[in-house]
Amino acid sequence: NGGDITASVTNITHVSKLLDTKVGPISDLESLMDTIIENTVEPMVNNVLNKGFTLPIKDWVLLKKTSVTAQQDYLEVCGDVELTDKSLAEIKKIIAQLVG
């Protein structure tokens, strides 16, 4: 649907540091955390993202060939924009009033 955005997490980068343990030393903390994240966190996040959400501009603009990229402090949404019949009709009204 042209006004919906869906996404999925394909890679999670992390740094893990063991501060304290009650069970003794853990030999490969990074590998353990990779497994936990890959098998729990990533599927949970993807379950939500794969359902998607509707953009509030759906009646006016359709997005085609979209991509969503997480940046440092923002979410980047790119895509081709197509005006809906509703927005084209409004533009025609505005032009008619300006010319008219």
Side-chain angles (χ1 to χ4, degrees), residues 1-4 53-63 82-87:
N1 195 345
D4 293 341
F53 54 94
T54 302
L55 294 173
I57 59 171
K58 185 176 181 177
D59 290 341
W60 300 92
V61 175
L62 299 177
L63 296 176
E82 182 179 308
L83 298 176
T84 64
D85 291 340
K86 180 177 181 175
S87 62

Side-chain angles (χ1 to χ4, degrees), residues 67-84:
S67 68
V68 178
T69 306
Q71 299 294 348
Q72 179 80 20
D73 297 319
Y74 61 94
L75 191 63
E76 178 181 82
V77 179
C78 299
D80 294 342
V81 175
E82 182 179 308
L83 298 176
T84 64

Side-chain angles (χ1 to χ4, degrees), residues 14-85:
H14 66 91
V15 175
S16 301
K17 180 179 177 183
L18 184 61
L19 298 177
D20 188 25
T21 177
K22 304 291 187 225
V23 295
I26 298 176
S27 61
D28 193 0
L29 181 61
E30 291 294 323
S31 179
L32 175 63
M33 292 306 297
D34 285 343
T35 301
I36 291 170
I37 289 170
E38 184 178 315
N39 292 307
T40 59
V41 175
E42 194 172 308
M44 289 169 59
V45 170
N46 280 333
N47 187 42
V48 173
L49 295 177
N50 288 328
K51 291 177 184 174
F53 54 94
T54 302
L55 294 173
I57 59 171
K58 185 176 181 177
D59 290 341
W60 300 92
V61 175
L62 299 177
L63 296 176
K64 307 284 182 166
K65 301 179 190 172
T66 57
S67 68
V68 178
T69 306
Q71 299 294 348
Q72 179 80 20
D73 297 319
Y74 61 94
L75 191 63
E76 178 181 82
V77 179
C78 299
D80 294 342
V81 175
E82 182 179 308
L83 298 176
T84 64
D85 291 340

